[in-house]
Each structure stands twice: as C-alpha cells, then as structure tokens.
Amino acid sequence: GEAPVDANKPTRRHDNTMAAVQDLSLGASGEAPVDASSRSTDTPLEAIAPMVDALRASFDAGAVRSNDARIAQLQTLQRLVEENLEDLVEAVHTDLGRHRSFTRKTLGGCSRACTLAIDNLSTWTAPKVTLQSDGVTQQVRLTPRGVVCIIVPWNFPNPLAIKPLATALAAGNTVLLKLSEVCPTISNQLASLIGRYFDPAIVNVVQGAVPQATEVLAQKYDLIFYTGNSAVGRIVMQAAAKHLTPVVLELGGKNPVFVTESADIDVAARKIIDGRMKNAGQFCVAPDYVLAAPAVYDALLEKLKKAIVEFFGQDPRTSESFSRIINARHTARIASLLKDHGGVLEAGGESDVSERFVAPTIVSNPRLDSKLMQEEIFGPVLPVLRMDTEQALKFVRGKPEPLALYVFGADSAAWEPIVDVVRSGGVCINDVIVHMLNETLPFGGCGESGMGSYHGEWGFKAFSHERAVMVVEANADTPARYPPYA
C-alpha cells in the first residue's frame, strides 16, 4: 500500500492498457519519480522481452523443478542478504533515512523467510492425498506456475522484493523483478546484487519508470505479484487480463484502530504511536486513524502525545529514530492534508519539503469528509476521533475494506463484535503491525485492499498451481458407464 493517486484522471490514449500509466505519470510503484530515473539505471526497453523469453526457456528446461534446485536458489538468496547486510542497511538509510537497527531487523526477517522455506520445502511440495480407496487415489499437487513477475514498491523495497522472491523460488518458478525507480540507491544496489548472485535466466531485474513499467506489463507471465496502491493495481489487472494472467495484489487503505473502554490506555498509546510513526508512516499496515470510546478519549489523547515525546524527543527532526519521507512531492502531499481538516492540531504539524520532513502529528476530531479522513495518509499523521462503538462501526463499514483492522480491549466481549462485522485483510488485537511480520500467518487484503495472500506456506501456495491428480488402477472398469444406457 503506497500513497494514493488520482485514479480518475482522464487518459489521452486508448491504444493500449498501459496508457493509464502514462497519463497518471506513475511508475510501477505507484509514485511519480522526482529526478529518480536520472539517478537509477534504466533497463533498455528492447531488453525486457528477451529477459522474459530467457526466463521461460529456463523454466521449460526444468532449471528449478527439483527440490534440490529450489533449495540452492533459496540458499543463494539468503547469502545475498547475509553477506551484504550492512551495504543494504546503508542504502535504505540513504533513500529513506531509516534507523539502521530497524532495517537490520527487517533484513533479518528476509533471511528467516528463506530458512522457513528451506526447512519446510519437502512438506510443502509433498502431494496431499485426499482419497484412497476402491482402486482410486486422489491427490493435490502444488506445481510451479512458470514465469512470474514481482513488482516491488519503494517504502520497504528489500523485504517486499526478497520475501515474495523466496516463496516464488521455493515454488519452482523463474522470476522477473520490477524494482521501484523512486528509491534509486536501494534499487541500484539490489539489481547489482541479484546480477552477481543469480543466473539471469532464473532471476532477472528491470529498473526504470513509466516506459519500463509499461513494457514489463506488456509481457505474458503466469502470475503477477504487485505491491502498491489500488489505482495502479487496477492497471496491473487490466494488463494481466490481456493474457488471462492471475494476479496477487497487496494494496493498502485506511486502517482503523478501535480503542474500547476496557483497553489498557498506556500500552495502546505506545503501540499506536510506534506503528503510525514507523518509517515516518510510510507503511501499508500502519494505523491510519483512531476511533476512541468517549470514556477513554481524553486520557488516550494525552498519552499519545506523551508517547511522541518519549520516542522522538522534543524535536523529532533531530531524532535518528524518525525516518524521512521518500521525496519532496510526498512531503508536500502529506503537508497538504493538514490544511482545512476542521480538527484541532494536538501535536506536530511542522513540515520541511527541502528536508523531506513531516513531524509526528496528531489531529483530533477532523471532519469526516476532509481529505485527511478520506485518503490513505501514508505519512506520520494520526487523526484521533471521539466515537462510541455504534458510530465508529457505521463509519468504518461505510468505507472500503482496509488492509488491517486494529482493536484494543480487555477481552473478546470488547473486540469480537467489531471483528465480526468489519471486513479487512487482517486483524490484530491489542497490538499493531505485528500480525504481518509473522511468516506463519497469511498476509493479504480483500476488496480495495487487495486479493490473494502470501508469507511462508501461503506465499508458496500463491506462487503454485493446485493441480488435481486422480490415479485409477489400470484394470479398473465399470460396464455401467458405457452406452447403451439402461
């Protein structure tokens, strides 16, 4: 889930599906580049189709068919991460200003995703017998899809390239990665490393902006895996439809946080601020707004403000733990949301486009029809509203399905009625974000927040075809099946 774009901007061309990309001024990441393409290494357009052809030839030749071959590729990917850890950390710091220890943790998760796939591959690939009787054996086999395309966003480019890549390789596919032009330091580095560690007929990389994204999506794949925003998600689906290619879309949305009367307010406030401000709010599963029960609203608001100071000091601009916005355009977009919202500025509000800085900000009770409450914020701004449960449910259920739903409450009587009626990609009770860090849970959206899921075994299944296989004994025959019929 990335920053929202105007999906209704009219197109000027109708000769191909990707005209919409041109007219929206979007790259595959859903972001208009700001001098990024001049700093990244663009793939020649004429090289893209041959890349895909080579990947298909390699797949057809069975280069990654056996479990041993798949494990070898996973081990290569794991070495790439572990042998270049500090270089990867520095690249993220350059593009996003993210604290190095935080990036090390995310890259550690990438290595663990490889270990999980290696350790469980024989179980995942084993045929699942569903019936065995009377001379018939039925089973389901998970077979590779073929050549898959993974389109990587800019906000967490390493894990959102490496984790899907790990499960795609575990499933026996060859892979084309389209990296984001908006984080050129990270993309240049990752492209270089993949070129060093992998056979380009098994994993290859495309870099660049709109022209490269257009050409990538013009090719035929057996699955497209896209992480980004819903506007570009629709464009990806249009391109995929030309070839009847299935898609997995990991999108975003406005993730609500319900804070009920029975919540532990101290703990809730700290977790909400931590989740909202990680990566300066550029996180698809970050809390987008808080709906607090009237009985706890005032106390929660004060503790949220206190948590900002505790985490980032009196001047967050000087805190090494607070990231920067990806570029000037996004900084200006987030700052514009703080105008005409009709609420009260409780904390923060400062911004500096030249430094790509937006302060950790809290706005209380903005208008429900304001841009702040209608658009995915994708930045370090947290609206907090006083609402009883009935009002809050009516408001949330009237909006598109979020990628994540968060509820704070002491017991199931507090949160189950909310979870039961609000549709969302995932749910986390008494915490935020941590559910999507767990490789033993599926991660994905529904409705406007996406389709399909991945992580761990669910990622393996997403990049596989569930193939029904029935084996009948050679001499089994039933005369009643043949005409003439009785």
Side-chain angles (χ1 to χ4, degrees), residues 145-328:
R145 288 190 180 269
V147 180
V148 302
C149 175
I150 298 174
I151 303 175
V152 182
W154 54 260
N155 59 324
F156 282 90
N158 287 324
L160 294 179
I162 293 167
K163 288 186 176 183
L165 176 58
T167 49
L169 292 171
N173 302 285
T174 56
V175 184
L176 184 75
L177 288 168
K178 167 60 179 74
L179 302 181
S180 173
E181 72 283 3
V182 182
C183 51
T185 309
I186 301 169
S187 293
N188 283 340
Q189 181 191 62
L190 191 55
S192 175
L193 290 173
I194 288 173
R196 282 168 44 196
Y197 280 76
F198 284 96
D199 180 343
I202 294 176
V203 181
N204 213 333
V205 173
V206 171
Q207 290 185 266
V210 174
Q212 284 75 18
T214 303
E215 186 64 19
V216 164
L217 287 176
Q219 309 307 311
K220 175 177 171 55
Y221 306 97
D222 300 294
L223 178 78
I224 299 175
F225 184 103
Y226 168 75
T227 302
N229 63 65
S230 60
V232 180
R234 288 177 168 84
I235 294 168
V236 170
M237 285 196 73
Q238 288 176 336
K242 287 189 172 183
H243 301 291
L244 294 179
T245 300
V247 297
V248 174
L249 302 179
E250 299 295 343
L251 308 177
K254 293 186 73 66
N255 305 311
V257 183
F258 288 77
V259 180
T260 69
E261 293 184 7
S262 64
D264 185 317
I265 302 303
D266 289 287
V267 173
R270 290 168 57 84
K271 289 181 175 179
I272 291 167
I273 290 298
D274 177 55
R276 172 73 277 185
M277 305 306 166
K278 278 189 187 301
N279 203 36
Q282 299 162 114
F283 208 155
C284 61
V285 290
D288 196 278
Y289 60 96
V290 176
L291 304 171
V296 300
Y297 171 84
D298 291 329
L300 176 67
L301 189 59
E302 291 306 310
K303 292 183 184 297
L304 291 168
K305 292 189 284 187
K306 180 181 177 182
I308 289 177
V309 176
E310 179 184 346
F311 295 162
F312 307 112
Q314 293 291 343
D315 184 6
R317 189 189 302 255
T318 64
S319 171
E320 293 186 0
S321 296
F322 190 69
S323 301
R324 291 299 183 263
I325 308 303
I326 185 65
N327 58 32

